[in-house]
Amino acid sequence: MDNRSGIGVFDSGVGGLTVAAEIMDQLPKEKIIYFGDTARVPYGGKSKETVTRYTEQIIRFLLSKDVKALVVACNTMSALALDTVEKGLSIPIIGVIKPGAKTAVNTTRNGKIGVIATESTINSGLYPGYIKELDSTVEVVGKACPLLCPLVEEGMIEDPVTDEMVRRYLAVLKEKEIDTLILGCTHYPLLKNTIGRIIGDKVNLVNPAYETANGLKELLLSKGLLNDDNEVKEHEFYVSDSAKKFSAFASTILHKKNIRAKTVNIE
Ligand code: DGL
């Protein structure tokens, strides 16, 4: 392993590609080795035990590749499993929750932050936990939005049904007059326009994908692991179910033709 080794980025499915896209943008010299657990997605309503077991299997698979750091691109895995799996790892690992929480605290002016995420992420209480550690006076309002992931996966990004669901989910956050909203699920940055239009332009949207890529850059820099060689990188993509559907989705999100994911069994 050296600074030309890859970055293992993983998620329960396709959503983590929003994080991979940010990493490609902010760290274009890094090679990404992506794993999406498309056979077992969604993780968003699963227990801590199950999510931790799945996360351990994914990490074992990625460690069999040449990786120098790991990015838990999934909010649910970051909330439920990161504290367990980071113990004993010999390479650095970063999740999406801490970077998102930190930016939200630095952004809010009225001290009222909203978090939208999967049920398991909201129930874990981790976003409010980190936010309160940084500033105990901040009020945090969480809202689980379980129907938004399937709508995104169905490609209903600009759709009246999605608009209606977003309106219903955000009503309570609007009532509380939050001024900052964390998009605490990998899929929600893809609904940024709809969410922004419905919550209103006085509310700042925090995209943990952006903050995580930034955090990764700082982490690699501090460990002397940034890649400075200009050789063109062939990213690698692995999934646990059909590679065809994933490859098509990935090509759209990453604006890259010819993405060919491989199906692997990590169990
Ligand atoms: N990747 C998950 C997250 O960010 C959303 C999809 C799922 O429920 O697995 O929480």
Side-chain angles (χ1 to χ4, degrees):
M1 191 268 284
D2 59 29
N3 51 2
R4 281 171 310 172
S5 303
I7 312 279
V9 180
F10 60 97
D11 179 45
S12 52
V14 294
L17 290 167
T18 56
V19 179
E22 283 295 343
I23 297 172
M24 288 175 191
D25 211 40
Q26 294 187 38
L27 294 163
K29 293 183 181 173
E30 302 297 340
K31 171 184 169 122
I32 290 178
I33 302 177
Y34 185 94
F35 177 83
D37 199 359
T38 48
R40 300 188 290 197
V41 70
Y43 283 16
K46 292 189 167 73
S47 67
K48 184 174 170 72
E49 289 68 34
T50 301
V51 173
T52 304
R53 182 160 45 88
Y54 289 176
T55 310
E56 283 166 346
Q57 290 171 349
I58 298 171
I59 291 180
R60 199 174 52 213
F61 167 72
L62 287 171
L63 291 179
S64 72
K65 307 276 161 199
D66 180 25
V67 290
K68 62 182 176 185
L70 293 168
V71 177
V72 192
C74 175
N75 287 263
T76 306
M77 280 194 259
S78 300
L80 303 187
L82 182 55
D83 61 337
T84 308
V85 297
E86 70 187 351
K87 288 179 198 135
L89 262 185
S90 58
I91 55 171
I93 185 165
I94 180 171
V96 283
I97 294 195
K98 264 191 189 168
K102 190 170 155 203
T103 308
V105 170
N106 291 337
T107 306
T108 185
R109 293 284 158 264
N110 73 358
K112 290 182 188 173
I113 297 175
V115 183
I116 50 174
T118 64
E119 230 146 9
S120 299
T121 301
I122 294 296
N123 291 342
S124 76
L126 212 67
Y127 267 114
Y130 281 142
I131 291 170
K132 297 256 179 215
E133 255 175 41
L134 296 167
D135 184 345
S136 60
T137 66
V138 169
E139 190 186 331
V140 188
V141 192
K143 178 76 188 156
C145 307
L147 290 176
L148 296 188
C149 280
L151 288 168
V152 170
E153 302 233 347
E154 285 305 314
M156 294 165 72
I157 307 256
E158 295 289 341
D159 191 285
V161 174
T162 307
D163 281 16
E164 178 54 24
M165 282 321 302
V166 170
R167 203 168 287 119
R168 288 192 197 190
Y169 285 138
L170 296 185
V172 58
L173 303 175
K174 281 184 102 161
E175 249 169 51
K176 296 273 181 185
E177 299 184 332
I178 57 157
D179 74 347
T180 303
L181 177 61
I182 301 177
L183 307 179
C185 170
T186 45
H187 291 55
Y188 303 169
L190 299 170
L191 295 174
K192 208 168 71 190
N193 292 344
T194 307
I195 293 170
R197 177 164 38 79
I198 290 170
I199 197 80
D201 57 9
K202 289 200 183 78
V203 177
N204 294 298
L205 302 184
V206 174
N207 175 3
Y210 178 85
E211 314 305 339
T212 303
N214 204 23
L216 174 67
K217 193 172 176 181
E218 280 169 26
L219 183 68
L220 294 178
L221 196 63
S222 73
K223 306 258 179 213
L225 285 172
L226 264 184
N227 187 16
D228 45 22
D229 125 30
N230 283 318
E231 194 186 308
V232 178
K233 301 288 167 320
E234 280 287 331
H235 304 301
E236 294 174 28
F237 298 89
Y238 299 92
V239 285
S240 49
D241 196 22
S242 159
K244 202 168 161 211
K245 194 173 171 201
F246 176 91
S247 301
F249 202 93
S251 302
T252 314
I253 294 191
L254 301 174
H255 310 290
K256 282 186 199 305
K257 286 185 198 139
N258 302 327
I259 288 187
R260 296 216 196 295
K262 285 194 190 119
T263 304
V264 288
N265 180 359
I266 61 159
E267 286 178 61

